[in-house]
Amino acid sequence: MKSFYEAIGILNKNKKEKEQISILLEIPFEMLEYYNNNHILPDSGVLNRIEQKIGISKFDIMLKMGIYTQKLKECLSNKSSILSLDNNIDLINNTNVELAFKTNFGKLYHGDCLDLLSTLENESFDLIFADPPFNLNKLYPSNINDNLKKSEYLEWCEKWLDECIRTLKIGGSLFIWNLPKWNTYLSLYLNERLTFRHWISVDIKYSLPIKGRLYPSHYSLLYYVKGEKPKTFKPDRLPMEVCGKCFNEIKDYGGYKNKMNPLGISLTDVWYDIPPVRHPKYKARKDANELSVKLLDRIIEMSTDVGDTIFDPFGGAGTTYITAEIKQRKWIGIEIGPLDDIINRFKNIQTDRNLILKYRNNYNHLFSPTVEKKRIENHLWTCKK
Ligand SMILES: C[S@@+](CC[C@H](N)C(=O)[O-])C[C@H]1O[C@@H](n2cnc3c(N)ncnc32)[C@H](O)[C@@H]1O
């Protein structure tokens, strides 16, 4: 297996040559070093520039570095010679996307996310969040096929992931929400293309107990960053858990509670406090796998700043878009099925705004003002004494 520099025919030792390549390819020198030192395959935008300017095809680079896609593996096993590999296998038809709705911060398109992605510039987004269909044979209003063969589902995921990686800015964050089963595969794919940050387990029961198996109790939220480190990383701190009746703390802090940070408890990679969206009052779409604004608020707060740009390729009920709008981030969205639920949600934006405000009131202090007052009344310790 060759390193990135070997794959494009330059010597690691020759700093001058590397600097010239960095200028020719319009890639920061540190990113070239990052690809080489971490054995990372550059995104398809960079690979295309290498092909145009140095004349080495992306397939050559993948083969030399020993990094494959489902499609490439399939081609290799079906063809007698790699010389016959079709360079156009990833070509996307970009005709059927229309801009359907605009807000102060965002644009919502109707159509297939792959069609839209193929029209977007390299390095456009600070954050991409994706919650794709889980291939569980679910009936979607758009009638998409949610019962693909495993290899077809993974090949489809690799296509939109490649485009997400290409359109992510350096330092930008990518979050993928899926069942643990699928995220084990997607994670392998992403490890060769981005920097792994976390596998976050979000504790939500998502089906009934199954005989002979453990009761599935978490979704997987993959968190990756493009390049060495994130541009923005500001995780919220959470309140101390207290009993709803007596306001005493639920966990034992081993005699150290007086030393706890008054700004709250550090966020871990296991999230127990994200509610499922079941109540019709809060559900923007009937029969949909709609996520809580609490989840998107946390992700957006952690990985972006006001004014940054967010993309979500799978609109659903528009949870990412409404949260981005409320938090004053620019956003681009797309949904292949009907858009009415998303558009109607923006007419009632105050409902989601109130929910987000309610959640945010609890963050970044050990006790919310209400809990603090109750603890003082009950002669319990607070940060103030
Ligand atoms: C699991 S839902 C997303 C729910 C969303 N995160 C929310 O909280 O409301 C997935 C959505 O992706 C849409 N979808 C599936 N394939 C698509 C594609 N190729 N392009 C755009 N949208 C697609 C489906 O119609 C479905 O509404």
Side-chain angles (χ1 to χ4, degrees):
M1 224 158 47
K2 288 191 165 28
S3 70
F4 169 64
Y5 284 142
E6 285 167 339
I8 61 169
I10 62 175
L11 282 177
N12 193 1
K13 277 187 262 167
N14 191 337
K15 184 147 189 239
K16 192 133 197 232
E17 192 181 7
K18 291 193 287 187
E19 278 166 355
Q20 281 165 351
I21 290 286
S22 148
I23 295 165
L24 179 72
L25 297 176
E26 298 159 59
I27 307 170
F29 179 76
E30 303 72 49
M31 280 304 278
L32 283 183
E33 293 280 287
Y34 163 78
Y35 298 140
N36 192 68
N37 299 345
N38 298 286
H39 204 74
I40 295 280
L41 183 74
D43 67 57
S44 56
V46 172
L47 289 177
N48 286 341
R49 294 211 289 284
I50 296 178
E51 185 153 0
Q52 284 156 13
K53 297 189 175 177
I54 313 184
I56 303 175
S57 84
K58 57 183 168 189
F59 300 114
D60 262 352
I61 296 175
M62 285 187 206
L63 291 169
K64 284 182 182 147
M65 290 180 73
I67 297 180
Y68 304 95
T69 57
Q70 285 286 330
K71 190 83 188 171
L72 189 53
K73 280 187 215 162
E74 215 177 280
C75 288
L76 288 172
S77 62
N78 288 337
K79 307 226 172 178
S80 50
S81 160
I82 55 164
L83 294 175
S84 58
L85 260 178
D86 179 359
N87 230 347
N88 290 329
I89 58 175
D90 287 328
L91 266 191
I92 289 161
N93 161 19
N94 60 9
T95 47
N96 297 322
V97 180
E98 60 164 325
L99 176 62
F101 177 64
K102 261 171 94 169
T103 66
N104 288 343
F105 287 94
K107 286 187 184 150
L108 176 65
Y109 291 85
H110 191 213
D112 188 318
C113 63
L114 280 171
D115 289 342
L116 175 66
L117 275 159
S118 69
T119 67
L120 301 177
E121 300 267 321
N122 298 337
E123 292 169 26
S124 301
F125 303 117
D126 300 281
L127 163 65
I128 300 181
F129 172 85
D131 167 21
F134 301 155
N135 206 32
L136 288 176
N137 201 11
K138 204 176 126 110
L139 186 62
Y140 281 90
S142 56
N143 284 329
I144 54 153
N145 182 354
D146 194 42
N147 194 20
L148 299 169
K149 281 199 307 200
K150 176 180 152 192
S151 60
E152 287 170 346
Y153 179 69
L154 292 175
E155 192 182 315
W156 174 70
C157 288
E158 290 179 3
K159 275 193 188 160
W160 57 259
L161 279 175
D162 275 349
E163 285 294 88
C164 287
I165 296 168
R166 179 183 66 77
T167 53
L168 195 63
K169 290 185 192 169
I170 295 172
S173 300
L174 174 69
F175 286 84
I176 309 293
W177 177 267
N178 210 323
L179 303 177
K181 168 186 158 179
W182 292 127
N183 268 357
T184 57
Y185 294 98
L186 304 188
S187 178
L188 274 181
Y189 192 77
L190 291 170
N191 286 343
E192 293 177 320
R193 290 158 177 86
L194 296 172
T195 301
F196 173 81
R197 297 276 294 165
H198 291 285
W199 171 296
I200 300 167
S201 296
V202 182
D203 183 0
I204 302 178
K205 307 241 173 332
Y206 55 83
S207 64
L208 296 169
I210 306 162
K211 202 164 175 264
R213 298 203 29 210
L214 296 179
Y215 188 173
S217 172
H218 82 277
Y219 283 87
S220 154
L221 177 64
L222 293 179
Y223 170 21
Y224 280 79
V225 64
K226 185 164 177 176
E228 212 69 72
K229 56 179 186 339
K231 168 190 82 74
T232 307
F233 182 61
K234 312 177 268 109
D236 283 316
R237 298 184 77 95
L238 302 188
M240 185 190 273
E241 280 181 84
V242 294
C243 161
K245 286 195 178 129
C246 68
F247 297 94
N248 222 324
E249 53 268 19
I250 287 172
K251 287 189 193 146
D252 174 18
Y253 291 92
Y256 288 106
K257 64 183 178 204
N258 301 19
K259 304 224 164 27
M260 293 185 74
N261 189 328
L263 291 178
I265 294 166
S266 303
L267 192 62
T268 73
D269 56 7
V270 184
W271 296 358
Y272 288 105
D273 60 337
I274 303 298
V277 185
R278 292 216 180 94
H279 196 293
K281 185 174 157 205
Y282 295 117
K283 218 169 157 69
R285 195 168 65 151
K286 270 193 278 140
D287 313 318
N289 298 358
E290 181 186 329
L291 298 173
S292 165
V293 286
K294 188 172 189 183
L295 177 77
L296 270 303
D297 170 65
R298 182 168 297 167
I299 293 171
I300 291 174
E301 192 70 29
M302 177 155 77
S303 56
T304 64
D305 298 295
V306 168
D308 279 357
T309 309
I310 300 173
F311 177 65
D312 180 338
F314 304 106
T319 310
T320 306
Y321 315 146
I322 200 101
T323 313
E325 184 85 13
I326 291 166
K327 299 182 73 67
Q328 302 183 332
R329 272 67 167 175
K330 291 179 233 136
W331 58 269
I332 303 273
I334 180 150
E335 166 57 51
I336 203 165
L339 301 180
D340 321 9
D341 292 326
I342 305 182
I343 296 171
N344 285 335
R345 194 167 184 178
F346 275 85
K347 293 187 188 140
N348 298 313
I349 194 165
Q350 200 54 37
T351 310
D352 284 299
R353 201 188 295 279
N354 291 344
L355 258 183
I356 291 178
L357 267 179
K358 183 182 102 182
Y359 294 134
R360 292 224 66 77
N361 273 339
N362 282 324
Y363 294 147
N364 303 315
H365 37 224
L366 215 43
F367 305 112
S368 70
T370 326
V371 171
E372 189 169 69
K373 194 162 157 252
K374 290 285 181 192
R375 279 181 70 97
I376 292 171
E377 280 168 21
N378 293 0
H379 307 288
L380 293 165
W381 167 84
T382 67
C383 302
K384 298 200 170 115
K385 58 168 188 155

